[in-house]
Amino acid sequence: MTAPGWVRHVIWWQVYPLGFVGAFPADAPPDPSEHRLRRIAEWFDHAIELGASGIALGPVFASRTHGYDTTDHFRIDPRLGDDDDFDYVVGEAHRHGLRVLLDGVFNHVGPDFPRNHEGWFREHTFEGHGDLTTLNHDNPEVADYVVDVMGYWLRRGADGWRLDAAYAVPQRFWSAVLPRVREMHPEAWFVGELIHGDYAAVVSEAGFDSVTQYELWKAIWSGLNDGNFYELDWALQRHNGFVESFPPLTFIGNHDVTRIASRLENSDHLAHALVLLMTVGGVPSVYAGDELGYLGVKEERFGGDDAIRPEFGSPPVPVDEHGARVWSLYQYLIGFRRRHPWLFGASTTALRLDNRHYVYRTQHGDDALIVALNIAESPLQMSLPHAQIIAGSGAPPQEVVDAVTIEPHGWRILQPI
């Protein structure tokens, strides 16, 4: 598949709307007259200052609880507002130059979804959740329904869809549905949620433009925590193969996982994780709050997602000194990515690899950078061809060198001359 041209430049700022505006969990469900969905638009200037160029929204359609138990795909969740509020948010996003990605839950539905559709449902529930009923994807009426839903909101201004739990839906379903939607909306982008497996094969068979790169996410934080860059290098070798076929959606945080600031055992390594995200191929996504150093641990229990899906007030949010440093780091590295758009299609090659030192070349065509990561307690000294330091911890940019010393837990990005 060939991604729409605009995807090459997009960096998503991901928002989980129901939590972001305090609609779920809540002691009393908000009334539609509160128009809470519009609060997200108040943050678009923040997203622009961060360097994002797109807003990836979690579920906004009618549901009973967390949004992934959809009741009506054609109606905005009344806890968020109404159709006018959706139009306002999309209009404001586009006025700010921001793309909009919607979250479509088409594998299963909630208990309040109308049950008067004969043959639309399977007997089993989704992954043991008794309130989530799996749709019958062999029924052509279900396919027609999904096509209608996608097309309706794309006509209303959305730019693409994240397809929730796409791994649980037969690939033949997507391969039948997506071409019909693309025929009407050729510039739309479709990213499937995959966790494991042969990403490239699934993309080819299902017809996605992209999938969620969970393999790389896991290798980044566990490689940093364990002092095991071999795991990361293995994941990046696989990532290179994916980039040859499609642009993966890359991330170090989202609404379903423990926040990166809580996941990393050494806070100094947050920079390393973000450097990796912003210097490898794919389409980067930043989960709202990560850029401010927010903490949050996901737990496997009822309400276990609440800590990673907090309510945001009106901007600007006051941050302490640490939060300000994290914000500056995100701004800088996202800006760096924006100034090097060729990284969208980059592949990486290890130049030096051991448990706590990782130096790699990231390249696309004639464009190349060298990235050096040191998570050891001692300095990393390395010789290299004539190169210019353009970014790094404790390093003045623009210095041309033939050797470099990287302090403990430091990093550098260099431009070969």
Side-chain angles (χ1 to χ4, degrees):
M1 302 301 300
T2 301
W6 59 266
V7 177
R8 295 180 176 273
H9 302 278
V10 75
I11 295 176
W12 298 108
W13 188 59
Q14 188 206 357
V15 173
Y16 173 73
L18 288 166
F20 194 91
V21 304
F24 178 83
D27 293 334
D31 187 88
S33 64
E34 297 180 33
H35 305 290
R36 293 200 181 197
L37 187 63
R38 297 187 180 225
R39 297 184 187 179
I40 296 173
E42 298 176 12
W43 284 83
F44 288 166
D45 286 337
H46 169 93
I48 294 293
E49 291 173 13
L50 177 64
S53 53
I55 305 297
L57 295 174
V60 296
F61 308 117
S63 69
R64 179 188 290 185
T65 59
H66 44 60
Y68 290 97
D69 52 345
T70 312
T71 299
D72 186 345
H73 293 86
F74 287 102
R75 184 165 64 103
I76 296 299
D77 196 306
R79 295 171 294 175
L80 297 174
D82 54 29
D83 278 13
D84 289 341
D85 299 317
F86 176 85
D87 292 340
Y88 173 81
V89 168
V90 171
E92 283 296 290
H94 289 165
R95 187 175 70 82
H96 282 76
L98 297 166
R99 297 283 178 169
V100 177
L101 187 71
L102 298 182
D103 201 341
V105 188
F106 301 121
N107 173 69
H108 52 270
V109 294
D112 297 331
F113 191 89
R115 291 299 196 266
N116 58 345
H117 303 291
E118 186 173 350
W120 275 41
F121 311 100
R122 298 192 183 276
E123 295 297 325
H124 58 270
T125 59
F126 175 59
E127 294 184 349
H129 298 282
D131 55 345
L132 301 179
T133 304
T134 302
L135 289 167
N136 179 8
H137 298 98
D138 293 327
N139 188 328
E141 292 183 2
V142 172
D144 291 343
Y145 176 79
V146 172
V147 169
D148 290 345
V149 171
M150 286 188 181
Y152 177 77
W153 294 107
L154 289 169
R155 290 193 298 274
R156 295 283 292 267
D159 295 288
W161 287 91
R162 171 193 178 271
L163 305 172
D164 181 70
Y167 56 84
V169 178
Q171 292 163 26
R172 62 182 180 276
F173 177 83
W174 298 121
S175 66
V177 164
L178 295 181
R180 295 171 60 187
V181 182
R182 281 198 181 92
E183 185 177 1
M184 299 180 288
H185 303 278
E187 285 297 298
W189 190 62
F190 303 90
V191 53
E193 184 194 17
L194 295 190
I195 310 298
H196 307 292
D198 188 340
Y199 292 169
V202 174
V203 167
S204 176
E205 293 177 25
F208 303 137
D209 293 308
S210 179
V211 296
T212 52
Q213 223 309 23
Y214 269 96
E215 282 189 10
L216 183 59
W217 161 78
K218 193 270 179 183
I220 289 175
W221 62 259
S222 65
L224 291 169
N225 281 349
D226 297 343
N228 180 12
F229 275 137
Y230 290 97
E231 176 188 3
L232 176 60
D233 184 66
W234 175 252
L236 281 173
Q237 289 181 47
R238 284 178 54 81
H239 187 72
N240 288 340
F242 302 149
V243 173
E244 290 178 359
S245 302
F246 65 94
L249 180 68
T250 56
F251 58 93
I252 53 175
N254 66 28
H255 68 294
D256 273 333
V257 300
T258 291
R259 286 193 180 268
I260 188 64
S262 293
R263 178 72 75 172
L264 292 173
E265 296 171 2
N266 186 330
S267 61
D268 289 339
H269 297 163
L270 176 61
H272 300 71
L274 190 59
V275 167
L276 283 158
L277 177 65
M278 293 301 165
T279 60
V280 302
V283 180
S285 177
V286 174
Y287 183 45
D290 282 357
E291 75 278 13
L292 299 172
Y294 279 20
L295 300 171
V297 175
K298 178 184 175 70
E299 300 178 10
E300 297 301 326
R301 59 173 178 81
F302 180 77
D305 291 321
D306 296 351
I308 61 174
R309 302 174 179 179
E311 180 176 1
F312 283 59
S314 296
V317 170
V319 293
D320 58 17
E321 183 178 347
H322 172 72
R325 287 197 304 269
V326 172
W327 166 256
S328 295
L329 177 70
Y330 269 79
Q331 268 193 315
Y332 180 79
L333 287 170
I334 291 174
F336 181 90
R337 175 65 173 237
R338 296 285 295 271
R339 293 190 297 274
H340 298 80
W342 57 266
L343 285 164
F344 168 85
S347 60
T348 62
T349 304
L351 303 179
R352 176 168 177 172
L353 172 62
D354 58 49
N355 282 333
R356 291 175 171 78
H357 304 122
Y358 192 42
V359 182
Y360 59 93
R361 184 182 183 93
T362 182
Q363 183 168 1
H364 182 63
D366 295 331
D367 296 303
L369 296 168
I370 295 173
V371 181
L373 307 176
N374 178 17
I375 59 171
E377 298 295 335
S378 56
L380 167 63
Q381 296 178 331
M382 54 180 288
S383 300
L384 68 168
H386 211 45
Q388 184 178 37
I389 298 174
I390 57 175
S393 54
Q398 309 307 320
E399 181 184 354
V400 178
V401 297
D402 291 307
V404 63
T405 299
I406 303 170
E407 69 280 3
H409 306 287
W411 58 276
R412 300 286 188 277
I413 301 177
L414 304 103
Q415 177 85 58
I417 302 298

